[in-house]
Amino acid sequence: MNRSRTAVLATFFVAAGCSGDSGGSTTTPPDKTACGTGGTVQLAVLQAATVDCSVGTTVTLQGAGASYIVVPQLATYGEANRATPYALSADGASTSARESESTGIVPANLSAARFSVDAAALDGSPKPGARQRSFDAALRATSRTAPRSAWSGAGVQTQGAVASARKSGQTPPLGSVRGFSVLASNDPHVSAFKDVAAKLAYAGDNILIYTDTSGASTGFTQAQMNDFGYLFDQVLYNLDVTTFGAVSDIDQNGRMLVLLSPVVNALSPAAQCNNAGYVAGFFNPFDISSKTANSNQGEVFYGLVPDPTGKFSCSHTVSSVGTTLPGVFLHEMQHMISFSQHTVVHSGSQEEGWLDEGLSLIAEELGSKYYEDKFPAPTGRSNPGLLFPDSAALFILGDIVNSYAYLLNPDVYALTLAVSGDVGLESRGGDWLLLRYLGDQQGSDFYKRLDSNTTVGIANVESVTGRKFQSLFGDFSLALYADSIQGVARSSVPSANRFSSRILRQMYQSLYNGSSSSDVPRAFPLLLKTLTSKAASATLNPGAMGFYRLTTGSGATTTITFSTISGGRMPASLRPQLTIFRLPPGV
């Protein structure tokens, strides 16, 4: 998050539970004709259809005053990220169409109190922010250009398999020292490494934590390290493994290694921490893809050390490190699982950037869900009426802020770019929503199935779900708005058109309640433009969507035209389509 967003969020989120109603059923949509092939698409109230517009420009709907949400979208991937102009109109649209939702007030059954986030998150100190994102993205991109893992196809076991056969005598003694080679350049494309000696400070069932001896005087006390180690070993590690699958174990020690080193602190120039943020931690795929001297040839997570005096870079207290690293660890461990499963265990290619990053954002959210389950309302909250327990808020704050920013302009931000890179906060927020939606629809093992195979990107999603991505993307687009429509019971909205684990309007209302920033201008970020008989000219990026409300006139039918500005067909390679949802009368 940028600091302008973070600084104003001293209070946010609403009261009431965060889980949505899981009832309702999906009605069977009518046969869908492609654009330009004739016929009338007739939808019952709260029913949806996605229409392929790669072969034509028009689709006819039932009129007579019916109201619809109309979502033009480019359900493509692997295309250059550039805006594509389009025109959209509907003949016979009512001239007295309702105003688009502007206030976003939540339905009456959702209350709207707000609460304070842990002060450690909002104390004005630097946050990882842009530097963490760009460094992480550069590591992923660098690994894509590297040769296939040296361990691919070698029958390497996973950590769980080795751990079950591990003897206690194989655990190094506390205080024992070993060497590491640590990436020491803030540009991952530059192969600069530093050799460090580190002592074993914590030995758990799943994790061995080493501390760089050069930073020992700035580190945790042993009691603090024991608490820190227990959290990582018994909680965070298991959350990721349960959700995404096992980590490879090329060093055959049955455990993941964590190295806390000031070399990580030094990746971020102190003078830039306030504006650009800092690198808090990372996973380097080089460690499990190369057998060269600078590779540690094992599964390693690198984290910064407490440095309250700012000896190595900007200052970090024990408390701030303890607050920041858990979410970073969950995020980076998912990258490690994905990389090792795809390239080592299954001898395939690394996952595409947008999907890999979306899964790591889901990994961060696991921390929130863990504490939400541990502290059901009203427990674990500084105020009994708060939506999230205080310990959960820090794990999900970024996802909510970034997804809100995405929904302010969903026609701008691409969600399915195949190239790895730091595509920005908004696209990250959109990818979190997409992966959260797909997980809600597909079940608890969905993310593990994505990580544990040889396919990547859209092909991976289609293989695991058994559905074409265009159809999934259409359903997802509607869920962004129909998840909690004002005046409509959530249980009556088809399950395909809503989330089950989050209530979007509830989350964003809470953000709005606690913010005075211009970055949060309204309670619900997504607005519907009014679709009229006059062609609206706009643009869409690949993997993006626009949102319109159509209220039909008195005629029996109305015809929507979705075309290029000159009236021709949209390029088929962009997979243009219209997803349409019929609203109840008066809504």
Side-chain angles (χ1 to χ4, degrees):
M1 292 176 293
N2 60 38
R3 283 181 53 76
S4 66
R5 288 179 184 162
T6 304
V8 299
L9 299 179
T11 55
F12 84 130
F13 295 134
V14 296
C18 65
S19 294
D21 185 342
S22 60
S25 59
T26 305
T27 55
T28 302
D31 291 335
K32 298 179 284 296
T33 57
C35 283
T37 57
T40 299
V41 174
Q42 297 190 10
L43 300 175
V45 169
L46 300 180
Q47 191 174 34
T50 295
V51 183
D52 177 12
C53 292
S54 63
V55 296
T57 62
T58 61
V59 58
T60 299
L61 302 175
Q62 181 180 351
S67 294
Y68 301 91
I69 298 171
V70 179
V71 188
Q73 58 209 253
L74 303 180
T76 189
Y77 43 92
E79 297 288 328
N81 187 22
R82 58 173 177 263
T84 300
Y86 71 92
L88 188 71
S89 63
D91 67 358
S94 172
T95 57
S96 59
R98 279 184 48 157
E99 291 296 319
S100 300
E101 180 176 358
S102 58
T103 60
I105 301 300
V106 297
N109 63 320
L110 301 180
S111 56
R114 60 187 185 182
F115 78 100
S116 296
V117 180
D118 186 339
L122 305 167
D123 59 4
S125 62
K127 304 299 182 292
R131 187 173 292 280
Q132 175 71 44
R133 295 195 313 273
S134 60
F135 186 84
D136 187 36
L139 276 173
R140 308 281 84 74
T142 300
S143 65
R144 283 186 175 81
T145 63
R148 178 167 290 186
S149 173
W151 285 271
S152 293
V156 175
Q157 292 178 284
T158 59
Q159 289 181 8
V162 174
S164 65
R166 184 181 58 230
K167 295 181 173 61
S168 59
Q170 294 176 298
T171 302
L174 287 175
S176 60
V177 176
R178 61 157 286 177
F180 287 88
S181 182
V182 186
L183 183 63
S185 169
N186 57 25
D187 179 359
H189 295 92
V190 177
S191 298
F193 293 86
K194 183 175 181 178
D195 291 332
V196 303
K199 68 178 182 179
L200 183 60
Y202 179 89
D205 295 333
N206 306 300
I207 289 176
L208 301 177
I209 300 180
Y210 286 85
T211 57
D212 188 327
T213 55
S214 66
S217 62
T218 65
F220 298 89
T221 66
Q222 190 57 52
Q224 290 169 332
M225 177 57 68
N226 290 342
D227 291 341
F228 183 83
Y230 182 87
L231 173 65
F232 279 63
D233 183 68
Q234 295 297 309
V235 177
L236 305 181
Y237 179 96
N238 290 327
L239 288 176
D240 266 345
V241 168
T242 299
T243 305
F244 302 107
V247 188
S248 64
D249 197 17
I250 60 174
D251 52 9
Q252 297 291 283
N253 65 357
R255 293 181 176 95
M256 181 177 168
L257 304 181
V258 172
L259 172 64
L260 304 181
S261 171
V263 177
V264 178
N265 299 54
L267 291 171
S268 311
Q272 299 177 15
C273 285
N274 283 319
N275 295 324
Y278 60 89
V279 176
F282 62 92
F283 150 65
N284 190 353
F286 182 69
D287 283 330
I288 53 177
S289 65
S290 173
K291 292 185 177 181
T292 58
N294 288 322
S295 170
N296 291 302
Q297 300 184 31
E299 292 74 16
V300 186
F301 168 77
Y302 304 87
L304 49 67
V305 297
D307 181 20
T309 64
K311 177 181 178 182
F312 305 107
S313 180
C314 43
S315 63
H316 301 284
T317 64
V318 170
S319 175
S320 67
V321 170
T323 297
T324 301
L325 272 189
V328 175
F329 175 83
L330 286 169
H331 183 111
E332 296 298 318
M333 186 177 170
Q334 190 289 133
H335 284 318
M336 182 186 295
I337 292 170
S338 177
F339 185 84
S340 65
Q341 282 286 338
H342 278 289
T343 69
V344 178
V345 177
H346 292 93
S347 301
S349 300
Q350 184 178 347
E351 184 56 87
E352 288 185 2
W354 69 272
L355 184 50
D356 195 8
E357 187 62 22
L359 288 168
S360 280
L361 296 173
I362 292 295
E364 290 183 41
E365 187 192 7
L366 293 176
S368 179
K369 286 185 169 292
Y370 170 79
Y371 286 109
E372 291 169 56
D373 292 340
K374 185 174 181 179
F375 298 111
T379 64
R381 291 150 169 83
S382 54
N383 180 314
L386 306 182
L387 173 60
F388 292 129
D390 297 347
S391 49
L394 296 178
F395 290 94
I396 197 170
L397 172 61
D399 287 334
I400 293 179
V401 171
N402 296 341
S403 61
Y404 181 99
Y406 162 72
L407 288 172
L408 288 174
N409 296 288
D411 52 350
V412 171
Y413 302 112
L415 300 188
T416 55
L417 293 180
V419 178
S420 177
D422 181 14
V423 294
L425 294 169
E426 296 87 355
S427 291
R428 286 164 58 94
D431 282 331
W432 172 66
L433 286 171
L434 176 58
L435 269 295
R436 168 47 49 214
Y437 168 80
L438 291 175
D440 285 356
Q441 295 293 314
Q442 295 292 317
S444 60
D445 67 341
F446 171 67
Y447 305 119
K448 184 179 294 185
R449 288 185 286 149
L450 284 176
D451 269 349
S452 303
N453 59 57
T454 58
T455 56
V456 298
I458 297 297
N460 192 2
V461 174
E462 292 184 334
S463 174
V464 169
T465 63
R467 292 182 59 189
K468 298 298 292 182
F469 182 73
Q470 292 96 309
S471 176
L472 291 167
F473 200 62
D475 287 345
F476 163 67
S477 71
L478 284 182
L480 295 174
Y481 189 86
D483 176 72
S484 44
I485 304 174
Q486 298 176 42
V488 177
R490 291 191 84 235
S491 59
S492 66
V493 176
S495 59
N497 302 134
R498 55 185 165 89
F499 292 71
S500 62
S501 62
R502 302 294 182 196
I503 301 175
L504 299 194
R505 279 176 175 77
Q506 187 183 58
M507 291 194 307
Y508 300 131
Q509 176 82 51
S510 64
L511 185 66
Y512 177 77
N513 288 345
S515 174
S516 59
S517 170
S518 59
D519 289 331
V520 188
R522 50 187 175 266
F524 186 61
L526 185 59
L527 293 184
L528 301 179
K529 301 173 186 178
T530 300
L531 183 56
T532 68
S533 57
K534 181 179 179 180
S537 298
T539 60
L540 285 175
N541 282 53
M545 60 193 74
F547 286 82
Y548 293 82
R549 178 190 177 93
L550 166 63
T551 300
T552 63
S554 58
T557 62
T558 187
T559 298
I560 300 173
T561 301
F562 178 34
S563 68
T564 64
I565 297 298
S566 61
R569 290 186 312 215
M570 295 290 288
S573 63
L574 297 178
R575 292 174 170 81
Q577 61 186 33
L578 291 173
T579 296
I580 303 163
F581 181 85
R582 184 169 178 178
L583 292 166
V587 172

